[in-house]
Amino acid sequence: MKYKIIKILRDAFPFIAVIVLWRLSVAFWNPAGILAIIPIFYCSFVRPVPWFTPFAILFCFLIDYRFDTLFFWTIMYCVFYAINGFQTVFDLTRVDKNALNIFMIFFGVATFILSIINLNVANLMRAVWLFAWTSTLYIPITALIKKVYDDR
């Protein structure tokens, strides 16, 4: 019985990580719960979790809701999901460093687009900070997910 509960919690951990990171929204450190994009990316593309895609789309929409961006993160996720489906060059499940470079491309393009929509120095600095902070936290968050979810 105890092992079944542990297995259920391990299987639910990627979903719980997204919810917790989205709920821990703080203006400077985690604006609009954007750090939830890390487990969304990792569990969708690098270590695919069954039934995670609809959940990821829902939480991309919820990030959009908090950011006051109209379907921006949802569209970026769906575009990257489509690109990943058609790709033949990279296999994200076998890329080293938990696909940090691919995540940086995905997140960097998205934050760049957001920063040039309303171009000023404050938005550019905010985008640089957000990119650096999210990219720095990518490795520890994905390592935790990998340790808990893959340790069966």
Side-chain angles (χ1 to χ4, degrees), residues 5-125:
I5 293 172
I6 291 172
K7 183 185 179 324
I8 290 170
L9 289 175
R10 281 186 178 155
D11 290 343
F13 187 75
F15 299 93
I16 294 169
V18 170
I19 293 169
V20 167
L21 286 173
W22 181 74
R23 287 291 296 160
L24 292 175
S25 177
V26 180
F28 184 72
W29 300 106
N30 187 12
I34 193 63
L35 291 180
I37 206 78
I38 295 170
I40 287 172
F41 180 88
Y42 183 75
C43 295
S44 293
F45 304 117
V46 182
R47 296 266 189 235
V49 173
W51 296 99
F52 197 79
T53 302
F55 184 79
I57 291 171
L58 171 68
F59 269 88
C60 285
F61 176 75
L62 291 174
I63 291 170
D64 282 328
Y65 175 74
R66 280 199 175 163
F67 250 127
D68 286 334
T69 53
L70 187 60
F71 294 109
F72 179 75
W73 289 103
T74 308
I75 290 171
M76 289 300 293
Y77 175 82
C78 290
V79 164
F80 195 81
Y81 192 84
I83 290 170
N84 188 48
F86 289 119
Q87 60 85 20
T88 57
V89 178
F90 296 108
D91 183 11
L92 292 183
T93 59
R94 297 173 193 249
V95 177
D96 60 342
K97 297 181 191 171
N98 296 336
L100 174 64
N101 296 335
I102 309 297
F103 174 76
M104 290 172 68
I105 292 169
F106 164 73
F107 196 75
V109 168
T111 53
F112 179 72
I113 291 170
L114 276 178
S115 66
I116 63 170
I117 289 173
N118 186 11
L119 189 61
N120 60 34
V121 174
N123 281 345
L124 286 175
M125 295 307 291

